[in-house]
Amino acid sequence: MDRVPQLLQFTLDEQRYALPLFVVERIVRAAEITPLPKVPEIVLGVLNVHGAVIPAVNIRKRFNITEQEIGISDQLIIARTKRRMVALPVDAVLGVLEYPEELIVKAEQIVPHLDYVQGVLKLDDGLVLIHDLDTFLSLDEHLTLDEAMK
């Protein structure tokens, strides 16, 4: 039987993206993010999510998407990497997608050593880029963030 990956689909500037559902903890409304000194520029700051202090990571900066202030209608995806929980500000969460794995083009088939992208889901109405959160922060960025959060 073919595996059917479950993906959480979201938007940034009308482009659709996704994360594997198993890395997603929850989705919350946009909240105030407190800046931290000496963090990698990809880190917006930290926020309190149900008593846990979690770094907010700027997907827009990593993907060279036009930056914008986090709005009241924006959402935060709380997700796990191998090293930590992160909050990802997104314009909107669209829901869960389930598609046969053969519709997903692996990143290596598109461009060798493509950073931050696990693959691309081909749909009739467009493409959905699937993020690889474990490569989203470099080891240096993780270490700098660890130091700043102490």
Side-chain angles (χ1 to χ4, degrees):
M1 185 167 151
D2 290 337
R3 264 187 57 223
V4 179
Q6 292 184 310
L7 304 168
L8 181 71
Q9 183 180 203
F10 60 92
T11 61
L12 292 169
D13 283 354
E14 315 243 343
Q15 170 62 48
R16 293 181 298 173
Y17 298 89
L19 287 170
L21 189 59
F22 68 86
V23 303
V24 176
E25 285 290 316
R26 67 177 55 111
I27 299 151
V28 298
R29 287 186 181 160
E32 184 177 345
I33 296 172
T34 304
L36 280 178
K38 299 182 182 178
V39 293
E41 68 175 24
I42 194 72
V43 177
L44 294 167
V46 292
L47 66 149
N48 181 342
V49 179
H50 302 290
V53 177
I54 299 173
V57 179
N58 190 343
I59 298 177
R60 291 175 175 280
K61 184 171 255 348
R62 185 60 88 204
F63 281 94
N64 295 319
I65 299 171
T66 304
E67 301 228 17
Q68 66 183 36
E69 291 289 320
I70 296 173
I72 195 164
S73 64
D74 291 346
Q75 295 177 297
L76 297 168
I77 299 173
I78 309 302
R80 291 184 304 282
T81 70
K82 289 179 184 171
R83 298 179 63 98
R84 71 179 72 251
M85 297 288 287
V86 294
L88 306 167
V90 300
D91 295 345
V93 174
L94 302 178
V96 176
L97 293 171
E98 289 186 357
Y99 281 90
E101 202 161 333
E102 57 267 11
L103 291 181
I104 297 174
V105 178
K106 301 287 184 210
E108 301 83 42
Q109 295 173 295
I110 302 166
V111 177
H113 310 293
L114 185 60
D115 291 331
Y116 322 122
V117 175
Q118 186 176 332
V120 176
L121 175 61
K122 299 183 297 184
L123 300 177
D124 291 339
D125 62 345
L127 300 175
V128 178
L129 295 177
I130 304 168
H131 283 289
D132 180 356
L133 275 187
D134 287 325
T135 63
F136 205 72
L137 291 174
S138 71
L139 181 56
D140 285 344
E141 288 169 331
H142 274 293
L143 294 173
T144 304
L145 186 54
D146 287 343
E147 200 56 39
M149 290 188 66
K150 283 184 181 177

